[in-house]
Amino acid sequence: MDEQITVLLIDDQSIIGEAISRMLAPEKDIVFHYCNDPTQAIKVAKDCQPTVILQDLVMPQMQGLLLVKFLRSKDAPTCNIPLIVLSSKEDPVIKAKAFELGANDYLVKLPDRMELIARIRYHSKAYVNFRKRLEAEALFKAEILRQAAYIDEVNKVTSAASDVEKDAFQPEALAEVTKRSDELGQLARVFTNMVKIVKAREKELTSANAQLESLLKAYGRFVPHEYLRFLRKQTITDVQLGDHVSKVMAVMFSDIRSFTTISETMTPQDNFNFVNAYLKRVSPEIRSHYGIIVKFLGDGMMAVFPEGADDAVAAGVTKHRRVHEYNKERAAKGYLPLQVGIGIHVGHMMLGMVGEENRMQGDAFSDNVNLTARLEGLTKFYGVSLLISEQALHHLSTPEKYHIRFLDRAIVKGRTEAIAVYEVLDAEIEEIHALKLQTQPEFERGLEYYKNSDLELAKTYFEKVLAIHPSDKTATLYLERVKILLEKGVPKNWNGVWTFTDK
């Protein structure tokens, strides 16, 4: 049988209350309550015990977001009741603020009846399940206390047994225990045998505690502690499906270049060993720069940096240093060096738990996440180690601490708007870093002529770059573009933007 759903609407307009009441009237399992005075909302909620609250954001008696804050106060009886805010328009800023203050959902009124009922049922079911879980936990705690009292009397029997061995036993010590009508009372009268049982039980509890501690440590490897802290959870048992945080963050994608070629010569076991050897060297640099590894992608990874671009770029540079060190080890053993590409972007995204009740994992969602993956893919075209977007550059608090080279304005596959991309030279090995710094003036002159359609002059300067640094793949890329443009002609409205058709 379905649980009863109790809906409380807080809205100063009685016409809205009447409209929603009519929407819900046919639903036999839904009880509707209405409050037109936001100052009385908490009192009314305490009386009617709703399983979901609908709240208007524009009321003369009280500012809507302030009421959201009151309803979500830790000491308020409504702090855990699902809250759906109603607004007269779709306002991303107000919506984000409402979610930040603790709202569970956002609807533009008047909402579609079917959608409203579906959302009410969804949030109410989650809340009812939450209350059941709290009740179960209360029963569990009561049982723990009962067992604790039981163990206390067990300890008396244990002490009595020890006293017997010392010939110091006093019957009064077990006077209360012997009054019990259960097996412990009986065992108290023959406590010498009880001591053996208690010792065995004590060993079992110790083993169970050790197993529990080991299990919690194992969970920590799948849902890291920094992930729990970011979601504002104390332990893994507090994490629920749908828990998330939405904010502007830096996101990083990284990948090993030509991994397929490298892995073709390996057995599956060798592949696992190789990937794990690489990841264990670079992953700690994400955590040491306050990043969170969202997921491993075979030989690559996705990570977010909640505090922004400074942490992400610093982690990317340090991560490449670990790769350079690893390459020295590989070279000593006769292995080919690894080439790793990293892309970093900054934008708004949601990070949280996705999946279903029996299987969930952390993930991040946003168009900015997809764009970052495309940026990481561009590193192979430009032949660079660390590529950042214009947004990431603008979010750096001290960009002057890095050597940064503008690469291109490009339209990546799947998008229609151009994005400016930059290379962080500090991620390169010393020799490459020095050569790129040396040729940067010529490279920038070539870019300027390229953008202005002076293709012959652009070609001259890119050739100057390659004369000093023949392996500069970006300069080679521009020479190829110049060749194409000279053959096919410069398009009308040329602004230097290049469209990539491959990932």
Side-chain angles (χ1 to χ4, degrees):
M1 182 176 179
D2 291 339
E3 298 279 349
Q4 177 178 295
I5 295 172
T6 302
V7 178
L8 171 59
L9 170 66
I10 305 167
D11 195 309
D12 64 301
Q13 299 181 42
S14 59
I15 190 172
I16 299 298
E18 180 64 23
I20 291 182
S21 174
R22 290 180 179 179
M23 287 183 185
L24 302 183
E27 305 302 315
K28 301 303 182 183
D29 60 333
I30 297 180
V31 177
F32 177 75
H33 294 269
Y34 173 61
C35 174
N36 65 354
D37 184 356
T39 65
Q40 297 296 313
I42 291 181
K43 178 180 181 301
V44 174
K46 190 174 181 180
D47 292 338
C48 70
Q49 297 290 305
T51 57
V52 65
I53 296 174
L54 308 177
Q55 183 219 308
D56 185 26
L57 281 181
V58 181
M59 293 178 283
Q61 301 98 322
M62 182 183 296
Q63 206 276 336
L65 290 177
L66 179 60
L67 180 56
V68 172
K69 188 174 182 180
F70 284 155
L71 293 174
R72 279 295 175 262
S73 298
K74 289 184 178 179
D75 54 351
T78 57
C79 65
N80 293 315
I81 299 174
L83 177 61
I84 303 175
V85 295
L86 303 176
S87 179
S88 59
K89 61 181 180 178
E90 184 81 16
D91 188 330
V93 174
I94 296 297
K95 182 188 291 187
K97 187 62 178 178
F99 282 132
E100 181 180 338
L101 291 173
N104 300 89
D105 212 338
Y106 184 103
L107 285 172
V108 175
K109 64 180 184 181
L110 278 171
D112 176 78
R113 176 181 179 275
M114 291 184 63
E115 180 181 3
L116 176 63
I117 292 173
R119 296 198 186 208
I120 286 173
R121 292 190 188 283
Y122 174 82
H123 291 295
S124 292
K125 182 179 179 181
Y127 179 59
V128 169
N129 290 338
F130 169 76
R131 288 194 310 189
K132 289 180 178 178
R133 186 167 65 253
L134 288 182
E135 292 171 0
E137 289 175 356
L139 291 173
F140 178 74
K141 289 178 181 178
E143 177 63 14
I144 290 296
L145 291 175
R146 188 191 70 77
Q147 290 190 16
Y150 183 89
I151 291 175
D152 182 61
E153 293 191 345
V154 168
N155 288 337
K156 292 180 180 179
V157 177
T158 304
S159 298
S162 177
D163 289 343
V164 166
E165 293 178 356
K166 299 175 183 177
D167 197 21
F169 174 66
Q170 296 294 326
E172 297 81 22
L174 291 180
E176 293 299 320
V177 183
T178 57
K179 295 177 183 179
R180 298 176 63 100
S181 60
D182 60 5
E183 66 275 11
L184 182 59
Q186 178 184 0
L187 289 173
R189 293 185 287 272
V190 286
F191 63 87
T192 51
N193 186 46
M194 185 61 190
V195 169
K196 296 178 183 179
I197 297 174
V198 171
K199 291 294 183 182
R201 179 60 177 162
E202 185 180 87
K203 185 177 180 180
E204 290 174 7
L205 290 174
T206 301
S207 175
N209 285 336
Q211 291 179 4
L212 179 59
E213 184 177 351
S214 176
L215 185 61
L216 288 175
K217 289 181 179 178
Y219 279 143
R221 292 196 291 269
F222 292 94
V223 182
H225 297 299
E226 58 268 22
Y227 204 108
L228 292 179
R229 287 194 296 270
F230 183 68
L231 294 176
R232 295 187 287 276
K233 303 296 180 181
Q234 293 295 322
T235 66
I236 182 67
T237 56
D238 296 328
V239 175
Q240 300 295 320
L241 186 66
D243 287 341
H244 70 277
V245 172
S246 177
K247 63 176 292 189
V248 173
M249 293 180 275
V251 60
M252 170 194 290
F253 274 82
S254 70
D255 194 28
I256 297 177
R257 292 282 162 262
S258 303
F259 175 71
T260 303
T261 302
I262 296 173
S263 63
E264 283 176 349
T265 60
M266 300 181 187
T267 65
Q269 184 63 56
D270 289 337
N271 264 306
F272 271 102
N273 294 341
F274 164 69
V275 169
N276 288 331
Y278 160 71
L279 292 176
K280 79 176 183 180
R281 285 169 169 81
V282 300
S283 299
E285 299 303 334
I286 303 297
R287 292 187 290 273
S288 65
H289 289 87
Y290 312 105
I292 301 172
I293 297 175
V294 177
K295 54 187 172 183
F296 292 108
L297 305 164
D299 58 301
M301 69 172 69
M302 172 191 171
V304 296
F305 295 80
E307 300 307 315
D310 289 309
D311 292 337
V313 174
V317 171
T318 310
K319 184 174 174 179
H320 269 291
R321 289 174 184 165
R322 298 291 85 80
V323 173
H324 300 333
E325 293 169 0
Y326 185 34
N327 279 337
K328 291 179 181 178
E329 297 178 25
R330 291 176 58 81
K333 297 177 182 179
Y335 296 135
L336 293 173
L338 300 183
Q339 298 293 329
V340 175
I342 296 177
I344 296 173
H345 180 54
V346 172
H348 191 276
M349 65 196 70
M350 290 176 57
L351 178 64
M353 306 304 297
V354 299
E356 45 92 15
E357 288 185 2
N358 296 317
R359 175 69 173 90
M360 59 182 177
Q361 67 180 33
D363 209 341
F365 293 96
S366 171
D367 184 55
N368 292 307
V369 173
N370 300 328
L371 176 57
T372 311
R374 294 286 187 267
L375 292 179
E376 180 273 319
L378 290 184
T379 59
K380 64 185 177 184
F381 292 103
Y382 297 113
V384 301
S385 298
L386 176 53
L387 186 151
I388 65 174
S389 68
E390 185 175 25
Q391 289 83 345
L393 176 62
H394 288 167
H395 277 79
L396 286 174
S397 59
T398 53
E400 62 274 8
K401 70 183 287 187
Y402 300 105
H403 294 113
I404 296 175
R405 182 171 78 158
F406 172 78
L407 291 181
D408 203 358
R409 285 187 58 80
I411 299 175
V412 298
K413 184 176 176 60
R415 295 180 68 89
T416 58
E417 295 182 2
I419 182 170
V421 292
Y422 298 79
E423 174 187 9
V424 180
L425 301 179
D426 306 73
E428 299 288 358
I429 61 175
E430 291 183 7
E431 296 85 351
I432 300 299
H433 185 181
L435 287 171
K436 288 187 176 181
L437 280 180
Q438 181 183 348
T439 57
Q440 190 158 351
E442 288 77 11
F443 182 81
E444 291 175 350
R445 292 286 298 277
L447 285 179
E448 187 65 26
Y449 287 123
Y450 170 80
K451 181 179 178 181
N452 293 330
S453 303
D454 294 332
L455 300 180
E456 290 296 343
L457 281 173
K459 178 182 177 184
T460 299
Y461 277 95
F462 289 131
E463 288 174 345
K464 287 181 179 181
V465 172
L466 292 173
I468 299 172
H469 183 198
S471 61
D472 190 329
K473 191 173 179 179
T474 308
T476 301
L477 178 69
Y478 272 104
L479 277 181
E480 293 172 354
R481 291 183 185 176
V482 167
K483 182 180 179 182
I484 293 172
L485 293 171
L486 287 171
E487 291 176 353
K488 296 184 177 181
V490 178
K492 294 181 179 179
N493 302 320
W494 169 254
N495 56 5
V497 173
W498 193 267
T499 301
F500 283 90
T501 56
D502 297 323
K503 294 183 181 179

